Amino acid sequence: SEECDKIKRIALAKGKEDATVIGENNKGKVDPKIRRNSVVWINERDKDLNWMYQRLAGVAMNLNDQFFKFDLYGFCEDMQFTEYDGTGEFYSEHMDKVYNGVSRKLSLVVQLTDPEEYEGGKLQFMINRDIIDAPTDKGTVIFFPSYLMHRVTKVEKGKRRSLVCWFHGPPFV
């Protein structure tokens, strides 16, 4: 809980910006029909959060070795602190799989907010015809293949904050 609060404090001090989307017709543009929320970009040069990078990289490599066995390079882009507020902010169905021509293979989400602090804002996965809700406990770390369809439902009240990052590797063949 203390680490989650520290991440939130440091990220929010950097200043938020409107989240953008990337796709065939959207190259880093704000598109409120697809995504409405704010983000803060965090990189390894942020000395106050270097411990977080090292810790999450270690956990990711261990989980990858146990469950996925993907060929990974590691982090190739900044982490994304995300905030969804109670005005109905959301992120519609999407996959994380490619960014600027580099293959995202493994996605990670850290839940930074207690579930009692907001309503809605569920991270959901579409698996076949089922919709699976991710756990919401503060501090929960969720890993999933970047090609898995997922979304964040509208936040109706409060603020949902999370940390998102991706592990890259050579394209799947």
Side-chain angles (χ1 to χ4, degrees), residues 30-94:
V30 173
D31 187 340
K33 291 179 279 182
I34 297 174
R35 179 181 195 181
R36 213 171 72 233
N37 71 301
S38 56
V39 298
V40 176
W41 294 100
I42 300 170
N43 62 53
E44 292 181 83
R45 293 180 303 282
D46 292 318
K47 292 180 221 160
D48 293 336
L49 292 175
N50 193 273
W51 59 270
M52 177 190 65
Y53 266 87
Q54 293 178 5
R55 189 165 181 191
L56 291 175
V59 171
M61 294 306 142
N62 284 335
L63 287 172
N64 183 54
D65 288 346
Q66 287 181 48
F67 299 105
F68 302 106
K69 309 226 183 295
F70 293 160
D71 185 7
L72 299 176
Y73 302 141
F75 295 112
C76 293
E77 59 188 295
D78 294 345
M79 289 188 187
Q80 183 185 92
F81 171 87
T82 61
E83 180 179 275
Y84 299 85
D85 74 30
T87 61
E89 293 188 337
F90 69 98
Y91 196 168
S92 63
E93 294 83 0
H94 66 283

Side-chain angles (χ1 to χ4, degrees), residues 65-144:
D65 288 346
Q66 287 181 48
F67 299 105
F68 302 106
K69 309 226 183 295
F70 293 160
D71 185 7
L72 299 176
Y73 302 141
F75 295 112
C76 293
E77 59 188 295
D78 294 345
M79 289 188 187
Q80 183 185 92
F81 171 87
T82 61
E83 180 179 275
Y84 299 85
D85 74 30
T87 61
E89 293 188 337
F90 69 98
Y91 196 168
S92 63
E93 294 83 0
H94 66 283
M95 291 182 264
D96 295 340
K97 63 183 184 169
V98 177
Y99 174 74
N100 283 343
V102 179
S103 293
R104 291 173 172 172
K105 289 187 147 181
L106 194 58
S107 296
L108 171 151
V109 176
V110 181
Q111 176 66 26
L112 299 175
T113 312
D114 280 315
E116 297 82 32
E117 295 180 39
Y118 64 96
E119 291 177 13
K122 293 181 180 182
L123 172 61
Q124 296 181 323
F125 299 98
M126 290 79 207
I127 302 174
N128 297 322
R129 293 184 179 168
D130 296 327
I131 295 176
I132 310 295
D133 292 345
T136 59
D137 293 334
K138 185 176 183 178
T140 298
V141 180
I142 302 154
F143 285 91
F144 56 96

